[in-house]
Amino acid sequence: MDFEQHLRTTFGALKNWLVARAWNALIVGALWWIGLAIIHVPWALFWGVLGGLLQFIPNFGAMLALIGPEFVAMVTGEGMKMIYVLILYAIIAVLDGLVLDPLLMKHTARVPVWASIPTPIILGILWPFWGVLVAPPLLAIIFAFVKRNQRQAQRANLPLS
């Protein structure tokens, strides 16, 4: 393998990971918008777009997306609306972490679901904070190299005609 092939594989994997993050942001932003519109939180579209954009901040973006709608729900004076926003946040966080992220990583970056859920937890224990941040792109790179090596091994085993 030469260096150029390694770079091509690495940057291709990172591009696929970024595409997965963009789809994730789009879906989560839409979920925020629809949920906040159902709850009748003012500026639901704005909070949905902001929630989608904040998805690009790993681990903390979703929590930051909660602050605005929760504050607006508080200012409107309806206590139950604040609870509904928290319930919406919990639903989106669970869907994102256990369904959206693993499926998008599987389809876009070719990372199996079985690897995308426990790896951030394990790396977070071994390398607190940073391990959780680098786990998804690192998984995308590792599985891109695994896939490339499998293709090369298959080509090497093909009989020559």
Side-chain angles (χ1 to χ4, degrees):
M1 295 287 138
D2 65 353
F3 185 69
E4 186 177 320
Q5 285 178 325
H6 288 307
L7 280 179
R8 194 175 301 120
T9 302
T10 300
F11 285 116
L14 290 175
K15 179 192 75 117
N16 290 339
W17 172 74
L18 195 58
V19 167
R21 295 303 307 156
W23 277 108
N24 181 286
L26 183 69
I27 294 168
V28 167
L31 289 173
W32 269 113
W33 174 43
I34 293 167
L36 292 173
I38 290 170
I39 300 170
H40 301 292
V41 173
W43 303 343
L45 179 60
F46 171 75
W47 298 123
V49 170
L50 186 64
L53 290 174
L54 288 172
Q55 267 315 100
F56 284 100
I57 302 172
N59 305 315
F60 300 109
M63 289 182 277
L64 293 174
L66 173 66
I67 295 171
E70 191 66 19
F71 180 75
V72 170
M74 179 185 71
V75 170
T76 60
E78 298 177 36
M80 284 307 291
K81 196 177 282 190
M82 289 178 62
I83 293 172
Y84 294 149
V85 171
L86 288 174
I87 291 170
L88 175 65
Y89 167 75
I91 291 169
I92 291 173
V94 169
L95 276 175
D96 181 40
L98 296 178
V99 177
L100 281 177
D101 255 351
L103 288 178
L104 288 170
M105 287 293 284
K106 178 183 177 194
H107 291 293
T108 311
R110 307 287 189 251
V111 175
V113 174
W114 63 264
S116 62
I117 293 176
T119 304
I121 296 168
I122 294 167
L123 282 178
I125 292 169
L126 296 175
W127 191 21
F129 183 72
W130 296 108
V132 177
L133 292 179
V134 301
L138 185 61
L139 275 172
I141 293 169
I142 289 169
F143 280 97
F145 275 96
V146 166
K147 189 64 133 177
R148 187 184 76 180
N149 289 341
Q150 287 173 346
R151 282 193 308 262
Q152 288 176 345
Q154 286 175 348
R155 276 190 234 133
N157 290 332
L158 289 177
L160 297 175
S161 341

